[in-house]
């Protein structure tokens, strides 16, 4: 044997002895591996009942208990209208067709739409109006904007407040839901000619405005948006 073979053998024996001293030997008296499941059961803990199988289907799971009790019919539209009124019956009919409909949420959105439409009309923003109005109402608004443009007039409108947005009508026509809201607001509005002279309204007088608008939506459509289909004014 050459000198290199002897050196390698010596190193192998040395490494084996070191590992033996560090890792020890199995004597048969070692403690068994800790059984987490057995320990949990011994302490009274139950095993998980939700057995998950690939690709993630949960089986043997108890149904969830309802967290919200059904609203009694007499309280269904509390704060909006009284039971048995035409408004309540209209809301009932709409909900029967569209269970996701929430009139309170609708009123909140209608307030925002009201302000947006009024300001878009004043600014002649046809793009914004087209998304919010039915084709018939859009044509009416567009004609008024064209008349202003023809006369080289501009309208300045500013909201002071929207004091009330009250639901006053609800109706289901075939599959189309229609909701009518009375808006009571305060705003400042003035129309100026090319020279800047006011030809209508006032630049500093606050006017009390009451508008009655009707919005509609196809309850079978996947589009959740409502559009303005009718306008009126109590002023």
């Amino acid at each position: 044997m050459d000198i290199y073979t002897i050196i390698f053998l010596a190193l192998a024996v040395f490494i084996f002895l070191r590992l033996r001293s560090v890792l020890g030997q199995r004597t048969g008296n070692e403690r068994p591996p800790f059984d987490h499941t057995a320990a949990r059961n011994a302490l009274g803990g139950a095993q998980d009942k939700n057995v998950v199988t690939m690709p993630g289907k949960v089986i043997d799971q108890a149904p969830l208990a309802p967290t919200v009790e059904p609203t009694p019919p007499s309280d269904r539209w509390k704060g909006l209208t009284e039971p048995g009124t035409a408004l309540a019956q209209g809301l009932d009919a709409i909900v029967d067709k569209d269970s996701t409909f929430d009139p309170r949420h609708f009123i909140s959105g209608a307030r925002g739409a009201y302000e947006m439409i009024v300001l878009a009309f004043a600014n002649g923003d046809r793009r914004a109006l087209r998304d919010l109005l039915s084709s018939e109402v859009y044509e009416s608004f567009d004609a008024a904007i064209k008349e202003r443009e023809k006369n080289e007039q501009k309208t300045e409108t500013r909201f002071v407040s929207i004091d009330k947005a009250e639901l006053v009508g609800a109706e289901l026509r075939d599959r189309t839901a229609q909701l009518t809201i009375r808006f009571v607001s305060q705003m400042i509005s003035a129309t100026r000619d090319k020279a800047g002279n006011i030809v209508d309204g006032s630049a500093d007088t606050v006017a009390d405005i009451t508008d009655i608008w009707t919005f509609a939506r196809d309850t079978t459509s996947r589009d959740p948006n409502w559009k303005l289909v009718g306008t009126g004014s109590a002023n």
Side-chain angles (χ1 to χ4, degrees):
M1 297 175 65
D2 57 30
I3 186 63
Y4 294 107
T5 302
I6 295 172
I7 292 173
F8 285 133
L9 287 174
L11 286 173
V13 172
F14 174 77
I15 292 171
F16 172 76
L17 293 175
R18 291 291 295 172
L19 289 173
R20 184 182 177 88
S21 65
V22 172
L23 299 178
Q25 303 181 56
R26 294 186 64 84
T27 64
N29 296 321
E30 292 83 3
R31 296 175 62 184
F34 185 71
D35 189 341
H36 293 272
T37 302
R40 183 173 56 183
N41 291 340
L43 292 172
Q47 296 184 5
D48 293 336
K49 292 184 178 181
N50 294 343
V51 180
V52 182
T53 58
M54 295 300 292
K57 179 182 178 182
V58 179
I59 62 175
D60 194 25
Q61 182 177 12
L64 296 175
T67 57
V68 179
E69 295 183 359
T71 303
S74 60
D75 295 336
R76 194 176 195 183
W77 310 124
K78 188 175 182 179
L80 296 175
T81 186
E82 296 296 323
T85 61
L87 177 56
Q89 293 172 3
L91 292 174
D92 287 337
I94 294 173
V95 170
D96 286 343
K97 282 286 186 180
D98 181 5
S99 60
T100 65
F101 171 67
D102 180 350
R104 295 170 181 83
H105 179 71
F106 169 82
I107 292 172
S108 176
R111 289 176 66 100
Y114 173 64
E115 182 173 0
M116 188 181 302
I117 291 170
V118 169
L119 295 179
F121 173 68
N123 296 327
D125 187 348
R126 291 179 171 87
R127 184 174 182 179
L129 292 173
R130 193 179 295 276
D131 293 334
L132 297 167
L133 313 180
S134 68
S135 57
E136 294 82 2
V137 175
Y138 175 80
E139 289 175 3
S140 176
F141 277 43
D142 182 53
I145 293 173
K146 287 178 178 177
E147 185 66 20
R148 286 204 312 252
E149 292 173 341
K150 177 183 175 181
N151 296 325
E152 300 184 272
Q153 296 174 344
K154 290 187 177 181
T155 298
E156 304 165 353
T157 298
R158 178 167 60 88
F159 273 92
V160 176
S161 64
I162 299 178
D163 301 320
K164 182 182 292 186
E166 179 186 12
L167 190 62
V168 296
E171 184 180 7
L172 183 68
R173 295 184 177 180
D174 294 327
R175 62 185 189 182
T176 301
Q178 292 193 354
L179 295 171
T180 301
I181 291 190
R182 180 191 294 118
F183 297 100
V184 178
S185 65
Q186 293 184 332
M187 65 179 75
I188 298 172
S189 184
T191 300
R192 298 179 184 272
D193 61 16
K194 183 178 180 181
N197 301 312
I198 295 177
V199 295
D200 187 35
S202 172
D204 49 24
T205 300
V206 178
D208 295 321
I209 306 295
T210 299
D211 286 313
I212 301 173
W213 285 11
T214 299
F215 297 84
R217 175 182 174 270
D218 184 343
T219 57
T220 63
S221 173
R222 301 182 70 175
D223 183 356
N225 295 316
W226 296 73
K227 290 194 173 185
L228 179 63
V229 297
T231 62
S233 176
N235 297 90

